[in-house]
């Protein structure tokens, strides 16, 4: 697998024997529903910042980030679909606050990041559908290793913050720092290929209907990560002007 949230074994097992199977359209509909929840929550926190309720907004942002992270781990291991909408709302709270903070420092950056995220989404979908990029076992392994490596770097950087230590380069606006962000954006975008493949193979193998929620969840995790990385990259580029 590549996206740690999704396990490709699910796309090869658990063929449904009764009831409706998982479908691509069903997964798309659930993804759209989760997206609406996320945007609504983000808009609420954004409005708190705009109205001057900074303390409340920061608490919602932090709470959303913490609860969202915990829920992501729980969902990844239990596949409890009822927690997925809650996760989407928590991610919305977190993204709304982060986006508002970036927008204050770099006016217009959020719109650019949103456009960049959708551009990457549809570009990867086109490349996947045209078989320009094939999701082979080797491809999944490479993307998984790259994704895990990035997560380890971020974890070390986060823990190091408590000891006044930061991983060199990754947070800077130097050419190396920008290069690192470009690399991370590319890896995040390529994770979409793995998500598409998981959803398509799941439908082909007639997985249970509930797996639509799990496929949509994995896709949302990737899109949130991609959006944040594009936001960071754009901020670094503006710092160099």
């Amino acid at each position: 697998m590549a996206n740690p949230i999704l396990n490709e074994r699910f796309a090869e097992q658990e063929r449904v024997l009764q009831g409706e199977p998982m479908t691509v359209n069903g997964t798309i509909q659930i993804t759209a529903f989760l997206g609406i929840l996320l945007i609504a929550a983000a808009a609420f926190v954004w409005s708190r910042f705009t109205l001057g309720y900074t303390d409340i907004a920061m608490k919602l942002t932090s709470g959303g980030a913490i609860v969202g992270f915990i829920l992501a781990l729980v969902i990844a291991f239990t596949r409890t679909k009822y927690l997925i909408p809650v996760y989407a709302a928590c991610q919305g709270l977190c993204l709304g606050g982060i986006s508002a903070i970036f927008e204050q420092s770099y006016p217009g950056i959020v719109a650019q990041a949103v456009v960049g995220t959708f551009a990457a989404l549809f570009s990867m979908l086109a490349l996947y559908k045209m078989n320009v990029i094939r999701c082979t076992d080797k491809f999944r392994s490479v993307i998984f290793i790259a994704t895990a490596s990035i997560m380890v770097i971020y974890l070390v950087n986060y823990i190091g913050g408590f000891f006044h230590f930061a991983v060199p380069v990754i947070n800077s606006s130097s050419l190396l720092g920008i290069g690192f962000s470009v690399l991370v954006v590319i890896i995040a975008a390529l994770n979409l290929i793995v998500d598409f493949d998981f959803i398509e193979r799941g439908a082909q193998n007639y997985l249970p209907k509930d797996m639509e929620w799990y496929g949509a969840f994995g896709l949302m995790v990737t899109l949130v990560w991609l959006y944040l990385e594009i936001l960071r990259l754009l901020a670094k580029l503006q710092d160099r002007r």
Side-chain angles (χ1 to χ4, degrees):
M1 67 179 184
N3 185 336
I5 297 300
L6 299 180
N7 188 327
E8 75 275 9
R9 289 177 300 170
F10 296 152
E12 300 170 353
Q13 301 174 355
E14 303 183 26
R15 286 174 179 267
V16 66
L17 299 178
Q18 297 179 351
E20 292 184 47
M22 171 185 182
T23 65
V24 173
N25 286 338
T27 306
I28 292 174
Q29 292 172 6
I30 292 173
T31 303
F33 167 69
L34 296 178
I36 291 172
L37 286 179
L38 186 148
I39 292 172
F44 176 75
V45 176
W46 182 294
S47 69
R48 298 306 92 187
F49 271 103
T50 302
L51 295 174
Y53 302 118
T54 307
D55 290 342
I56 295 176
M58 289 303 298
K59 289 179 181 178
L60 289 172
T61 302
S62 300
I66 295 171
V67 176
F69 177 74
I70 294 173
L71 286 177
L73 294 178
V74 173
I75 295 168
F77 287 103
T78 66
R79 286 184 283 160
T80 305
K81 70 175 185 178
Y82 302 105
L83 294 177
I84 295 177
V86 183
Y87 164 81
C90 289
Q91 286 296 85
L93 295 177
C94 177
L95 291 187
I98 292 175
S99 298
I101 293 171
F102 270 87
E103 186 69 18
Q104 287 180 350
S105 301
Y106 311 95
I109 193 174
V110 170
Q112 295 173 17
V114 170
V115 170
T117 301
F118 278 101
L121 171 64
F122 291 117
S123 295
M124 291 299 105
L125 181 58
L127 292 174
Y128 175 73
K129 284 298 184 181
M130 293 186 294
N131 288 324
V132 175
I133 300 179
R134 295 179 179 274
C135 191
T136 62
D137 289 339
K138 183 177 181 180
F139 178 87
R140 279 191 291 269
S141 297
V142 170
I143 298 302
F144 172 71
I145 293 172
T147 301
S149 299
I150 292 169
M151 294 302 107
V152 169
I153 292 173
Y154 281 164
L155 180 61
V156 171
N157 186 68
Y158 176 76
I159 295 175
F162 294 102
F163 304 96
H164 306 289
F165 166 79
V167 177
V169 176
I170 69 171
N171 295 313
S172 73
S173 299
S174 65
L175 291 179
L176 285 177
I178 291 174
F180 174 80
S181 287
V182 169
L183 176 62
V184 175
V185 167
I186 292 173
I187 297 301
L190 289 175
N191 267 275
L192 290 171
I193 298 294
V194 181
D195 296 334
F196 298 149
D197 180 69
F198 173 87
I199 293 169
E200 187 170 67
R201 287 195 296 135
Q204 291 173 349
N205 288 331
Y206 302 102
L207 293 192
K209 190 72 173 176
D210 284 353
M211 289 302 291
E212 293 176 349
W213 286 89
Y214 198 67
F217 167 65
L219 184 57
M220 173 152 287
V221 169
T222 302
L223 288 173
V224 167
W225 178 35
L226 178 60
Y227 168 77
L228 289 173
E229 294 300 340
I230 292 177
L231 202 60
R232 283 165 52 87
L233 173 60
L234 291 173
K236 289 180 180 181
L237 291 173
Q238 290 198 28
D239 283 340
R240 289 189 60 84
R241 290 182 180 178

